[in-house]
Amino acid sequence: MQTLVPLWETYWNQVREAKKSAGQKAGILMVLVKCFWPTFLLGAIYQLAYVLLQFASPQILGLIISFVQSDDPDWKGYLYTGLFAVVAFLSAISDSSYWYNLNLVGLRLRTTLASTIYKKSLKLSNSSRKTNTAGEIVNLVSVDSQKITDACLMVNMMWSCPLQVALAIYFLYQTIGVAVFVGKYTS
């Protein structure tokens, strides 16, 4: 917290001054992106690795099945089995690293927002304190900052879910052909 709030304030002042000179109101989204993008990007890279590794496992399984049905040398079977184990291990590592990084961003984000809101509430004038109740401030600190944190955790799903669907359709097309596009119509 000792480093998060000063970092936030530095970026907030930069964005506020830039928006003020342009005659606009400053928003927190750009400040949040500037503060937390490296950790968030690292989490996105882990998510990409996880998605790709999830689709590598069935491909390796197909190679193992082809090996069993052929007369290839034994070393290929050992290679495929070892590769299967390595992919499963790396998949588990990348998934846990993804969730670690995103939860770290979420906790940092929530901490920063809660401290900033609390700090701002201490500086409110008497007239502002009459318009903003203590319940509204507590709601901002607890509920609203948690909602922003939850949204941060799900942002990567906006690109990874379509990628997973596209890869699944592609690999199914490689396996069963045009039948992947045929659906059963029921009335």
Side-chain angles (χ1 to χ4, degrees):
M1 187 168 124
Q2 292 175 351
T3 59
L4 291 176
V5 175
L7 179 68
W8 164 270
E9 288 174 350
T10 301
Y11 286 127
W12 173 251
N13 290 333
Q14 289 174 2
V15 168
R16 190 175 57 187
E17 290 302 317
K19 294 289 185 172
K20 190 176 185 180
S21 65
Q24 300 172 341
K25 251 187 158 180
I28 65 168
L29 181 61
M30 211 48 218
V31 180
L32 292 176
V33 169
K34 284 184 176 187
C35 286
F36 303 113
W37 75 266
T39 310
F40 189 81
L41 180 64
L42 184 61
I45 291 169
Y46 283 129
Q47 175 71 359
L48 178 63
Y50 174 71
V51 168
L52 295 177
L53 288 169
Q54 286 298 106
F55 284 99
S57 294
Q59 301 304 313
I60 297 170
L61 189 58
L63 292 172
I64 291 172
I65 291 170
S66 297
F67 168 76
V68 170
Q69 296 173 348
S70 70
D71 292 330
D72 289 341
D74 289 345
W75 67 267
K76 281 190 176 182
Y78 293 123
L79 175 70
Y80 296 151
T81 305
L83 190 59
F84 194 74
V86 167
V87 165
F89 176 75
L90 290 176
S91 178
I93 293 294
S94 61
D95 187 42
S96 61
S97 296
Y98 164 72
W99 285 109
Y100 171 78
N101 276 291
L102 266 288
N103 281 314
L104 183 65
V105 168
L107 286 171
R108 287 177 176 174
L109 196 148
R110 185 171 182 192
T111 300
T112 303
L113 288 175
S115 332
T116 303
I117 293 167
Y118 183 69
K119 199 177 213 182
K120 176 73 175 174
S121 71
L122 292 176
K123 294 179 182 178
L124 289 176
S125 65
N126 285 335
S127 60
S128 295
R129 286 180 196 215
K130 289 178 184 174
T131 60
N132 297 321
T133 65
E136 289 173 334
I137 294 170
V138 169
N139 190 39
L140 278 173
V141 170
S142 62
V143 177
D144 294 345
S145 63
Q146 181 62 43
K147 286 182 181 180
I148 292 174
T149 301
D150 293 343
C152 171
L153 292 174
M154 295 301 144
V155 166
N156 281 325
M157 297 302 167
M158 291 186 338
W159 64 265
S160 72
C161 289
L163 176 64
Q164 290 177 31
V165 170
L167 286 172
I169 289 172
Y170 173 76
F171 287 124
L172 277 173
Y173 181 77
Q174 296 292 322
T175 305
I176 62 175
V178 176
V180 76
F181 300 114
V182 177
K184 181 178 178 184
Y185 175 73
T186 56
S187 56

